[in-house]
Amino acid sequence: MSVLLSDVVSGSAVGLRGRLWQLTAAELRAAAVEASAEILRLEAVRVAVVDELSLRPDDQVIASRGVGAWLAANTMLQVRDGKKIAALGAALRPFPAVAARFDGGDCSFDHAVLIVAFCESPPKGMPEEALPRCIDLLLAAASGVEATTTKVRNVIATLERLFESDEIPPAEDVDLNELRIASTLNGRVVVRGDFDALTGEMLLSALSNLTMPTPAPDGTPDARSTAKRTADGFTELIRRYLDCAKTGTDGGQRPHVNVHINARDLAEHRDCAATPSTADGEESASDLDVGHMPWLGPLSVSQTRLLGCDCFLSTVLLDSHGAPLDAQPGKRLVTAEQRVALIARDRGCAFPGCTCVPAWTDAHHIRHWANGGPTVMNNLVLLCRSHHRLMHRKSGFVGKWEIRIGVDNKPWFIPPPSIDPQQHPRPANTTFKT
């Protein structure tokens, strides 16, 4: 029995797994998007129906002590989920703009909950006439496929800071800080804390370069869970502090790249050193066009250029025998001042849809410095390591993403034809970051 794309969403999932192989990858993607839209539509229908039932309860609802409990008793939902559905329906009544966006399937359940919670308890310093504009900003952050909970929360946090009152906001109240450390019966230690935003920012900054995934020497990905990496990083942070407060810097020091070039190559300005240089005309390993790491040896050119985008650069001039002639003082390609400016502009990884924080990003040269690209703002963009690799490698992609600085002096991303045949430029993902 064949399977049609139109039947995937409207039909039953029974036996579907064994027939999905007949669909192309494009059809599978379309089915996943359509199914997700259908879930949003049905979610809105359920909230509306449950809300109406709460306004006109019958004997069954009354006997269940509320429409939320009745819904849970007659479905596979938990009572708390049934009550959340009923609560959202009631909360949407005074805010028709939010209800309309939710009913139209352009705002998820969780995002609608966040928005109405803000509307019901706005900052005490916010005038009443500012609420409609705030709702517009929140709906803009919550709408579309690029909407994330992080964006919505960031807008809420921004509005709470914008309309300050005489009362200290909970996120800044240090009197609420708590840290509990207790030993357990098996000799371990349990740590539980609740800190203000500034203390949390300092803690996350101190831990950021200690908790990143670290591949094994053979290139195997880090198998540790996020919680395990955080625990290991916290242990290392304490150890460094006890060792004379050696805490490191935010984001860690960028990789060192040693650039070796002999005098003949420098004079000829050759692009590739992979030319025969031995007496018998054969290539030697030292002449191959690859990078070299002191610990792990050869490194591909693409990976070397990736590391070279944001590095501490030292240049050593060698003669034809490999003997040093001169050494230039080390310098950073991207200065501390430029990185501060990039964070102010890009606010983290600028790749569309990415929410990686600034401390976990590299400064990528749009036109690589090895090809004459200058280290200036209009040739730099912040990218997380995953998207940085994507810019330097195109394995698995038909084409390659391109970056251009627009007339607004911000980066724009052009997808390959395999993702967007029309290659429409996409703005940097910075609109709702704070």
Side-chain angles (χ1 to χ4, degrees):
M1 180 180 178
S2 63
V3 57
L4 298 176
L5 178 60
S6 58
D7 298 332
V8 173
V9 177
S10 60
S12 172
V14 177
L16 180 62
R17 292 175 180 269
R19 296 182 287 123
L20 286 177
W21 63 268
Q22 302 174 59
L23 298 180
T24 65
E27 290 173 328
L28 290 173
R29 286 189 282 105
V33 171
E34 187 176 344
S36 300
E38 187 69 4
I39 290 172
L40 288 178
R41 185 187 70 82
L42 292 175
E43 189 76 78
V45 169
R46 182 168 62 180
V47 169
V49 171
V50 169
D51 185 45
E52 184 64 24
L53 187 59
S54 69
L55 296 174
R56 296 188 289 120
D58 59 4
D59 291 344
Q60 291 191 37
V61 173
I62 295 174
S64 298
R65 300 180 63 182
V67 67
W70 168 85
L71 182 64
N74 290 272
T75 63
M76 287 187 283
L77 291 173
Q78 299 296 313
V79 174
R80 63 177 181 273
D81 295 325
K83 290 183 176 181
K84 284 178 61 177
I85 293 170
L88 178 59
L92 286 173
R93 295 174 201 162
F95 308 107
V98 183
R101 193 68 64 89
F102 175 68
D103 294 343
D106 200 28
C107 179
S108 71
F109 184 96
D110 292 337
H111 293 169
V113 170
L114 289 173
I115 294 174
V116 295
F118 173 86
C119 295
E120 290 176 334
S121 301
K124 293 185 178 180
M126 187 183 80
E128 185 176 347
E129 57 270 19
L131 183 59
R133 176 57 179 160
C134 292
I135 291 177
D136 290 341
L137 291 173
L138 289 167
L139 289 176
S143 300
V145 296
E146 296 182 354
T148 64
T149 301
T150 300
K151 287 183 178 180
V152 178
R153 290 188 183 276
N154 282 343
V155 174
I156 291 175
T158 301
L159 293 174
E160 289 176 344
R161 304 302 184 277
L162 180 64
F163 298 105
E164 292 183 359
S165 64
D166 293 335
E167 295 185 6
I168 301 175
E172 300 177 6
D173 191 351
V174 296
D175 291 336
L176 299 178
N177 289 2
E178 293 181 342
L179 180 64
R180 293 184 173 89
I181 304 175
S183 59
T184 62
L185 293 177
N186 62 357
R188 297 183 63 81
V189 175
V190 175
V191 180
R192 294 179 180 175
D194 182 4
F195 298 101
D196 64 283
L198 180 58
T199 302
E201 179 71 16
M202 290 188 292
L203 178 60
L204 293 174
S205 296
L207 287 173
S208 68
N209 68 313
L210 301 176
T211 57
M212 293 183 185
T214 304
D218 61 356
T220 307
D222 196 332
R224 297 176 298 168
S225 65
T226 302
K228 173 61 175 170
R229 294 201 313 269
T230 303
D232 291 345
F234 190 68
T235 301
E236 178 64 19
L237 184 64
I238 297 173
R239 181 180 293 112
R240 291 188 181 189
Y241 175 78
L242 295 177
D243 291 340
C244 303
K246 184 181 177 183
T247 55
T249 58
D250 184 22
Q253 188 179 33
R254 299 296 172 182
H256 287 82
V257 176
N258 295 320
V259 180
H260 292 244
I261 183 171
N262 62 48
R264 185 191 64 235
D265 291 340
L266 182 61
E268 296 175 359
H269 299 284
R270 295 187 305 178
D271 294 327
C272 179
T275 56
S277 61
T278 56
D280 54 5
E282 296 181 357
E283 287 186 345
S284 66
S286 62
D287 291 322
L288 296 179
D289 192 13
V290 296
H292 183 83
M293 297 180 293
W295 288 97
L296 300 179
L299 188 67
S300 68
V301 172
S302 58
Q303 183 71 1
T304 302
R305 289 190 171 186
L306 184 150
L307 296 174
C309 267
D310 190 4
C311 69
F312 189 85
L313 179 67
S314 299
T315 303
V316 179
L317 181 64
L318 307 176
D319 64 15
S320 59
H321 302 287
L325 293 177
D326 190 17
Q328 296 181 0
K331 64 177 181 179
R332 281 196 59 87
L333 282 182
V334 179
T335 65
E337 292 78 9
Q338 286 176 319
R339 187 165 181 85
V340 169
L342 286 170
I343 292 174
R345 186 193 71 185
D346 297 345
R347 304 178 186 179
C349 179
F351 194 90
C354 186
T355 57
C356 188
V357 296
W360 292 3
T361 59
D362 298 328
H364 169 68
H365 284 70
I366 298 174
R367 181 187 176 193
H368 199 272
W369 63 269
N371 295 330
T375 306
V376 296
M377 287 295 295
N378 279 351
N379 194 46
L380 296 172
V381 61
L382 289 183
L383 295 174
C384 67
R385 185 51 57 91
S386 295
H387 289 121
H388 198 180
R389 287 195 186 98
L390 180 61
M391 292 299 135
H392 285 267
R393 298 175 181 269
K394 57 180 181 180
S395 176
F397 289 86
V398 176
K400 187 175 181 180
W401 284 81
E402 296 182 13
I403 307 176
R404 297 177 184 172
I405 299 297
V407 295
D408 55 357
N409 289 322
K410 294 182 178 181
W412 287 73
F413 293 75
I414 302 174
S418 59
I419 295 178
D420 181 3
Q422 304 300 321
Q423 293 189 282
H424 294 109
R426 303 183 184 186
N429 188 35
T430 60
T431 306
F432 297 107
K433 290 181 179 177
T434 58

